[in-house]
Amino acid sequence: MNEIINIQNLTFGFSKNKAILKDISLSVPKGSIYGFLGANGAGKSTTMKMLIGNIPDEKKAIKIFDKNLSEFYPDGFNRVGSLIDTATFYDHLSGWDNLLVVSELRNLPKTECERVLHLVDLWESRNMKMKKYSLGMKQRLAIAMTLLGKPELLILDEPVNGLDPNGMVEIRELLIKLNKEEGVTIFISSHLLQEVEKMITHLAIISHGEIRFSGSIKDLNELYRYNHIRIGINNASGFISKIPENYSPKIFDENTLEITVESQKDITNLVKHLVNIDAEIFEIKSTAGLEDWFMEITKN
């Protein structure tokens, strides 16, 4: 089975007159880190809550591990770890004791608590009271809770929201480690595009309850990588007037031109043209990243 999550034509609203999710379809491959990206209010959290059964999927549009949710849960919770909204802890207890409470409720051995604390690099802080944990440490402990029982799938809603840059890096490195070393498939929602871009392999972009793109980073790159190109060229201002207007040339700085192209052939033709007129080119690079693509895809 190559698909861990499959959603087909999911439409949902709390009232008949206003749909929050509009005909959503996406597929999460096994072994991927799948980014579910959109602005606040786009429909990410609603989708996440439906995935874990907090909101009923009455039309059976969602399958996890090739089963409809009504068939998959409650036994399926042993295969899924989830963190939706903000995790809560007993502040007067240590990190170890908080984990122990959850593991005993699930009839898991204490060795599971030790295993996950090592995974999230909190073993040395296990006896510290929760009220002394930093926000990043609390988030890592929350992820540790989701890892109890060795789930095959993690569903994480905005796990880096509110963290400082160091905390974001810690969570990102942890998720990449879990994916590569433990083989965990991760479905992660976020509106922090620059951060999530550094870890995801696949993505779906949701805007106003509609999927505007779904696929791999490679697919997205093939569609959008040629939009904006910067050319490092000595004496850029002396050559801007010699570039055809369809490239929309602009001066970026003293030795850099910014152009707009639609294909690799456009780049090739322009470079040939510049070389023929004795331009000294020292660099060509794309300026586009996930944030640029997101804005392009979601704009009305």
Side-chain angles (χ1 to χ4, degrees), residues 103-293:
S103 65
E104 288 183 354
L105 285 171
R106 296 182 57 186
N107 295 316
L108 296 171
K110 290 183 180 180
T111 52
E112 266 300 280
C113 298
E114 182 176 348
R115 182 185 71 86
V116 297
L117 281 171
H118 281 295
L119 272 177
V120 301
D121 198 25
L122 284 177
W123 178 250
E124 299 299 326
S125 306
R126 65 189 182 281
N127 294 321
M128 185 187 297
K129 301 296 184 185
M130 285 302 306
K131 58 187 175 183
K132 295 184 179 181
Y133 272 41
S134 68
L135 188 58
M137 292 171 71
K138 287 181 178 180
Q139 199 70 345
R140 279 189 282 151
L141 188 68
I143 292 175
M145 286 183 173
T146 72
L147 294 171
L148 290 168
K150 298 183 179 180
E152 300 165 64
L153 169 66
L154 285 187
I155 298 174
L156 306 175
D157 188 17
E158 302 275 6
V160 298
N161 198 21
L163 298 182
D164 62 22
N166 286 335
M168 290 183 183
V169 171
E170 289 176 356
I171 298 301
R172 184 213 316 155
E173 291 178 347
L174 170 60
L175 296 180
I176 292 173
K177 175 184 176 182
L178 292 171
N179 177 255
K180 292 189 178 299
E181 297 182 11
E182 303 292 320
V184 180
T185 301
I186 300 171
F187 187 73
I188 174 174
S189 76
S190 184
H191 67 279
L192 302 174
L193 304 179
Q194 290 182 331
E195 180 57 33
V196 80
E197 181 180 15
K198 299 169 185 174
M199 70 176 103
I200 60 176
T201 60
H202 296 72
L203 73 156
I205 293 175
I206 184 171
S207 178
H208 300 289
E210 298 179 356
I211 298 293
R212 301 300 177 92
F213 174 88
S214 65
S216 68
I217 287 290
K218 182 180 178 181
D219 294 335
L220 187 63
N221 188 50
E222 288 296 323
L223 285 172
Y224 291 96
R225 64 178 169 175
Y226 299 120
N227 278 8
H228 303 286
I229 302 294
R230 285 181 189 158
I231 299 180
I233 179 173
N234 290 328
N235 186 26
S237 60
F239 289 93
I240 189 169
S241 62
K242 301 174 183 179
I243 296 176
E245 290 183 3
N246 61 293
Y247 287 99
S248 302
K250 298 176 183 177
I251 295 290
F252 181 75
D253 62 32
E254 181 181 7
N255 291 312
T256 310
L257 290 172
E258 187 169 280
I259 60 170
T260 300
V261 293
E262 295 182 357
S263 67
Q264 188 174 5
K265 187 176 180 181
D266 283 348
I267 301 172
T268 303
N269 290 340
L270 180 58
V271 170
K272 285 181 179 178
H273 171 68
L274 289 170
V275 170
N276 286 337
I277 58 176
D278 297 324
E280 297 175 343
I281 300 170
F282 57 84
E283 183 179 41
I284 299 174
K285 65 179 181 179
S286 170
T287 66
L290 185 56
E291 190 169 351
D292 301 279
W293 294 330

